[in-house]
Amino acid sequence: MNNKYVNFVFLLMSGLLISGCSEQGDAPKASVSSSQTEAANVREVIKIDPTLAAEGEAIYNQNCAFCHQADAIGKPGFAPSLTNQEFLRVSSDQFLMGTIRDGRAGTGMPPFAHLGRKQVEAIVAFLRAHAKQPNVSAEIDAQPPSHGDERLGQFWFDSICITCHGPNGNGYAAGGTGTAIGKASFLDKVTDGFIRVTIRDGRTNTRMIGYSGPASMAALSDDDIDDIIAYLRTVPSKD
Ligand code: HEC
Ligand code: HEC
C-alpha cells in the first residue's frame, strides 16, 4: 500500500480529531503534536507515522545499532550521532536515504541498498521521531553556494579542523573524532548550506562545537566558513 497516501489520510484525520475534540484531554494516539513541527511534517511525510517509526526501530537495531548505538546517540571516533538535534534539523530525507542506501565509500559506513526503499524509509521515520525542532533542510539546501577562497580555507582547515577530521578530511582513519568530510561520498550528498550551517552551529553534545559567535573557541566569520567550504570541495580531486 502507498504509505504517503496512508499518512496523508492519517494527518487529515488527526487534524479533524484535534479540531473536533479540542476540549478532550485524551489526545489522539500518536498525535502529530505541536504546531511548530506541523508545517515540516506535511513536507516530510514519512516522519510522522508512529507504526512506521516502530518498524524502523527494529530494523535500526538489527542493522545500525552496533555502530551508531542504541537510540542512535553515536560513539566518538566510531560512528556519529543520528539523533543529534542539529543534525536532524539540517538533514533532508533525500540526504538521509541516499547516505543509508549508498553508505560512505572510504569510511566505516557500509551501503544498505539491500534493505530496499521501504525499510530505509522506516529507519528514517524512526530517526525523525527523535526530532524536537522543525526540519529546515529545504531552506538550508536552497542557500547560495560558497564563493570562498580555497587557499584561505585550507589555512583554516589545517589550523582548526584537522585535529578531529584528519588531514584532507579523511576522518576517523587519522585517529580523530570527526567524520570524513573531505570524501566525495560525503560531499556529493550535501549542499554548501548543510556544511555552512553545521560549521556555524555545531552539533550539541558532540565534539563538533559551533564556530560562530563569542562562545566558540575560534570564531569564524561567514566568509571564513565559505573559504573552508571552497577548500573541502577541492579535496576529493586531490586524492
Ligand atoms: C560498521 C559500522 C556502521 C554501521 C553498521 C552503520 N553505520 Fe552509519 N556510519 C558509520 C560511520 C563510521 C559513519 C561516519 C562516516 C564518515 O566518516 O563520514 C556513518 C555515518 C552515517 C550517516 C551520516 C551521519 C552524518 O553525521 O552525516 C548516516 C545517516 C548513517 N551512518 C546511517 C546509518 C544507518 C541508518 C545504519 C543502519 C542501516 C548505519 N548507518 C549503519 C558506521 C556505521
Ligand atoms: C574537537 C573535534 C572537532 C573539531 C575541531 C571540528 N569538528 Fe567537525 N565534527 C566533529 C565531530 C565529532 C562531528 C560529528 C558529530 C558526531 O560524532 O555525532 C563533526 C561533524 C562535522 C560536519 C558534519 C559531517 C557529517 O558527516 O555530517 C562538518 C561539515 C564539520 N564537522 C566541519 C568541521 C569544520 C569545517 C571544522 C573546522 C572549522 C570542524 N568541523 C572542526 C568534531 C570536530
Side-chain angles (χ1 to χ4, degrees), residues 29-45:
K29 202 170 154 235
S31 73
V32 181
S33 75
S34 72
S35 56
Q36 114 194 352
T37 52
E38 217 159 62
N41 279 337
V42 173
R43 235 186 299 133
E44 312 246 352
V45 181

Side-chain angles (χ1 to χ4, degrees), residues 60 63-64 66-68 78-82 87 95-96 99-100 104 107-110 112 115 123 127 171-172 178-180 186 194 203:
Y60 173 88
N63 294 278
C64 328
F66 173 76
C67 293
H68 290 280
F78 189 57
S81 167
L82 307 177
F87 171 72
F95 162 73
L96 291 172
T99 300
I100 299 167
R104 281 197 182 156
T107 80
M109 171 64 196
F112 288 92
L115 291 180
I123 295 173
L127 298 177
Y172 299 155
T179 51
F186 165 70
F194 176 105
R203 291 189 183 165

Side-chain angles (χ1 to χ4, degrees), residues 88-100:
L88 289 174
R89 232 168 87 81
V90 302
S91 295
S92 64
D93 287 349
Q94 194 192 3
F95 162 73
L96 291 172
M97 298 205 40
T99 300
I100 299 167

